[in-house]
DNA sequence: AGCCAGCCTTGCAACGTTGCAAACTTTGAG
DNA sequence: CTCAAAGTTTGCAACGTTGCAAGGCTGGCT
């Protein structure tokens, strides 16, 4: 496979290297005849620009990095898919990095994954405290997803977690549920998202004149289905009574439903379940899962727009964007619902 | 953010640029004292190598590309996660590309995604005929996942799809199922995988002395849950009678289960369901999903090993590796099963 | 005819790194 | 004490591209 360089094309077309470069980059002021000739040589030789050289010269790579905890978590996978598609329209390539929710790895990513290889980072923190984010920010254009950082020093896109959790909880209350569990605290991590959802849950209970019961606030190690299943199993073993679950992620909710089914408990008749994220699994689960649906498309679009701005003007004012969310009511919390929201392929 | 170059470090440490490079690359023959001094300068200035320059000079990027149809498909997401982790141990970064199952985009990826930016490609084709794969291969080290290409011209890792489909179908037969649907043909695509699974399905029926019924071989447009749900809905509308479904992917199976539940059909009592892929959703679905589980870890490990070999020696003999698979029996095909395979988080 | 403006093309240098091989220093053997 | 071998450090050039600015050419205007 002979690597074809501008020089090779130039020789073939009988022009200078610079002119070929001009054609490749669609510069003005190239005579149509020349352009034509160069294009032919380009095609014949199958030229493909060496991005390393281009980047070295231009100082830009056209690659951004998306940093998430784990790419095999459906929420992150779905988010990654929309980010990649949105990036395409901007001519960007996306490099996906996993941190496995490890604070150290998250920290390392902040100082720039891939060396100076990437022009910017879209970062979905999981275990890192907001303070750390702002502290490390300046080294590279950065947009943070989720969480919320008090002192707006970094561009940021997220749903209003407190309001969303409030909505979900209020929905359960309005359907007559008496003992609602909040499932998904992560006290061992600086997981701001979990904290905000807990806040919304409490607010809703207080607003409804209910009292808080610490036994109904349940922590998990991680956020997989197995954690949800185990947590519910524990609750049942410990004879904590409850008739509803507000799970901080859909994965937890699906695991929880699984565990309830194993114990012969019916959803939603015995226990109503609400999740968070609107992953595809939930739409097709049996019963289908009521959930808070963040507008992922919007999150991706806005994040990339902010990142583009930040790259262009590092001194631009910081933006804190609140993305839309919607409570999608399905079978798991509402016996009346038959089969809503069936459409929507991927 | 001042970009720190080798030169800056060299000045600070009072040595030549070349020596700093030697230290960074852990070359032999650097005096301990010098090494120490350079290391300090490195730390103090926070040097990070410019990978573009390094790649330009070395001709290697340390990045490989993983090309899949869609990253938000759980199977691909889970596969991507193991590939990324396996790559890490080799010091490689992984660039993930989506083709959306578009033949043109798959073709383009073959001629080298990202310019000459990547050292090799792990490619999971979906819509491309095997012939095309071998034809285009030589431009870049390549390992193909899934499918099967007749004339071993490309390194290749896959489960034995025929045998696996045979296992799944035979399992349903042995449980007394009479009319077994094969769900997931893709006649409009050159999808070899689907063809092989169909083959295994037919073989199993023939082996059991059953006759083939074309009405029980059902095609789908794509492989999402919605396609599975729609296909089942159609079958029921058209009054095709069946008591089992062998779905070519777990996603189809989960969609199918959803549709069956909507029509009041019980799984597995009325209809037994088997999927393929062993995605996490299936383990926690209600009922939990019987499935063919390819050894994803092994697939990723072997694929990267082959790729490393190929990069090192482009002329090495071609390897065709058959990865392990296992039929995991859960509730959806076996009323006796209570709650197997609960463990195993992600 | 002379001149200017605009169009088109080009050569040079530099981006930050490492391969190469030369040059210098130290060590040890004879 | 000399010389070779081994250890250590260095300058130069090149990887393929594009920014810069200069140069050549053409055509239109006076």
């Amino acid at each position: 496979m002979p690597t074809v360089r501008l020089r090779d094309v130039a020789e073939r077309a009988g022009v200078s290297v610079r002119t070929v470069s001009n054609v490749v980059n669609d510069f003005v002021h190239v005579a149509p005849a020349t352009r034509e000739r160069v294009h032919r040589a380009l095609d014949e030789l199958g030229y493909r620009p060496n991005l390393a050289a281009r980047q070295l010269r231009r100082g830009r790579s056209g690659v951004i990095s998306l940093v998430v905890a784990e790419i095999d978590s459906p929420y992150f996978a779905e988010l990654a898919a929309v980010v990649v598609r949105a990036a395409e329209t901007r001519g960007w390539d996306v490099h996906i990095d996993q941190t496995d929710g490890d604070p150290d790895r998250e920290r390392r990513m902040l100082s720039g994954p891939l060396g100076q290889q990437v022009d910017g980072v879209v970062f979905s923190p999981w275990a890192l405290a907001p303070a750390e984010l702002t502290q490390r920010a300046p080294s590279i254009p950065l947009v943070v997803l989720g969480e919320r950082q008090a002192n707006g020093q970094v561009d940021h896109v997220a749903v209003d977690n407190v309001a969303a959790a409030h909505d979900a909880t209020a929905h359960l209350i309005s359907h007559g549920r008496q003992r609602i569990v909040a499932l998904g605290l992560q006290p061992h991590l600086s997981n701001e998202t979990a904290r905000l959802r807990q806040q919304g849950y409490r607010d809703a209970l207080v607003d409804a004149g209910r009292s808080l019961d610490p036994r109904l606030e349940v922590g998990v190690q991680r956020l997989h289905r197995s954690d949800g299943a185990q947590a519910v199993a524990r609750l049942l073993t410990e004879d904590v009574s409850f008739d509803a679950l507000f799970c901080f992620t859909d994965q937890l909710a699906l695991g929880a439903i699984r565990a309830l089914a194993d114990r012969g408990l019916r959803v939603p008749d015995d226990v109503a379940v609400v999740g968070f994220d609107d992953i595809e699994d939930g739409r097709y689960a049996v019963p289908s899962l009521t959930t808070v649906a963040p507008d992922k498309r919007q999150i991706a679009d806005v994040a990339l727009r902010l990142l583009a701005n930040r790259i262009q003007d590092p001194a631009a004012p910081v933006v804190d964007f609140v993305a839309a969310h919607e409570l999608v009511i399905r079978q798991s919390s509402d016996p009346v619902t038959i089969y809503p929201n069936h459409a929507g392929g991927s």
Side-chain angles (χ1 to χ4, degrees), chain A:
Chain A
M1 80 215 83
T3 307
V4 181
R5 298 155 302 165
L6 284 182
R7 208 169 78 193
D8 304 313
V9 178
E11 273 170 22
R12 174 122 182 176
V15 297
S16 76
V17 170
R18 202 58 191 58
T19 296
V20 180
S21 171
N22 285 340
V23 171
V24 169
N25 290 287
D26 265 337
F27 275 8
V28 286
H29 300 330
V30 177
T34 312
R35 183 184 301 274
E36 161 68 18
R37 198 146 35 92
V38 172
H39 264 133
R40 194 161 8 183
L42 244 18
D43 288 347
E44 285 169 357
L45 296 176
Y47 171 77
R48 317 207 67 199
N50 180 319
L51 298 189
R54 179 176 280 180
Q55 176 188 350
L56 179 59
R57 189 63 253 247
R58 295 215 253 224
R60 293 244 176 117
S61 63
V63 178
I64 63 168
S65 179
L66 174 66
V67 180
V68 297
E70 37 193 22
I71 188 60
D72 51 347
S73 217
Y75 175 71
F76 289 132
E78 293 181 13
L79 186 65
V82 291
V83 167
V84 168
R85 292 192 185 109
E88 239 164 47
T89 70
R90 299 189 117 86
W92 284 345
D93 250 312
V94 179
H95 183 92
I96 299 174
D97 286 296
Q98 296 188 89
T99 63
D100 286 328
D102 173 3
D104 274 341
R105 300 186 56 169
E106 294 202 344
R107 229 167 266 131
R108 227 175 307 140
M109 286 299 161
L110 269 188
S111 34
L114 257 183
Q116 294 102 40
Q117 196 85 295
V118 300
D119 297 340
V121 177
V122 176
F123 184 43
S124 177
W126 194 248
L128 230 47
E132 286 215 63
L133 293 178
T134 60
Q135 205 173 0
R136 302 254 180 168
S139 72
I140 193 171
L142 173 69
V143 174
V144 173
L145 302 185
E147 304 272 336
R148 174 180 74 181
Q149 33 79 242
N151 44 356
Q153 312 236 24
V154 178
D155 292 311
H156 175 252
V157 180
V159 298
D160 183 338
N161 276 299
V162 176
H166 188 287
D167 292 353
T169 311
H171 162 70
L172 290 168
I173 294 173
S174 77
H175 276 55
R177 302 294 167 167
Q178 295 303 320
R179 292 185 52 79
I180 303 172
V181 171
L183 176 58
L185 314 201
Q186 296 210 288
H188 58 296
L189 294 178
S190 307
N191 183 332
E192 182 70 3
T193 303
R195 208 162 292 144
L196 295 171
R197 294 182 187 172
Q198 178 184 25
Q199 185 65 48
Y201 159 81
R202 289 182 170 179
D203 289 354
L205 289 180
V206 170
D207 285 357
R210 302 278 180 84
S211 59
L212 303 178
D213 180 347
R215 296 207 309 161
L216 297 182
E217 299 189 352
V218 179
V220 290
Q221 193 62 30
R222 313 194 62 186
L223 299 165
H224 295 160
R225 288 177 180 75
S226 54
D227 298 292
Q230 281 164 24
V232 165
R234 206 178 327 115
L235 282 174
L236 294 172
T237 308
E238 294 172 356
D239 267 336
V240 176
S241 83
F242 60 93
D243 57 3
L245 292 169
F246 167 43
C247 304
F248 289 2
T249 73
D250 279 0
Q251 286 199 92
L252 288 173
L254 292 171
I257 289 176
R258 174 72 253 185
L260 292 169
D262 291 339
R263 303 313 187 284
L265 291 169
R266 289 163 306 159
V267 176
D269 311 72
D270 299 319
V271 178
V273 178
V274 175
F276 204 116
D277 284 347
D278 190 29
I279 63 179
E280 199 198 359
D281 323 8
R283 290 204 279 279
Y284 289 90
V286 181
S288 59
L289 183 63
T290 295
T291 192
V292 175
D295 187 337
K296 300 190 192 79
R297 183 88 58 96
Q298 185 189 42
I299 290 173
D301 286 344
V302 172
L304 294 198
R305 185 146 43 82
L306 293 182
L307 192 59
N309 286 346
R310 178 65 48 203
I311 289 171
Q312 206 204 330
D313 175 13
V318 169
V319 174
D320 206 323
F321 185 88
V322 178
H325 72 267
E326 180 191 5
L327 181 66
V328 180
I329 297 167
R330 303 204 187 94
Q331 296 170 338
S332 69
S333 72
D334 180 3
V336 180
T337 306
I338 302 300
Y339 190 22
N341 228 317
H342 191 176
S346 110

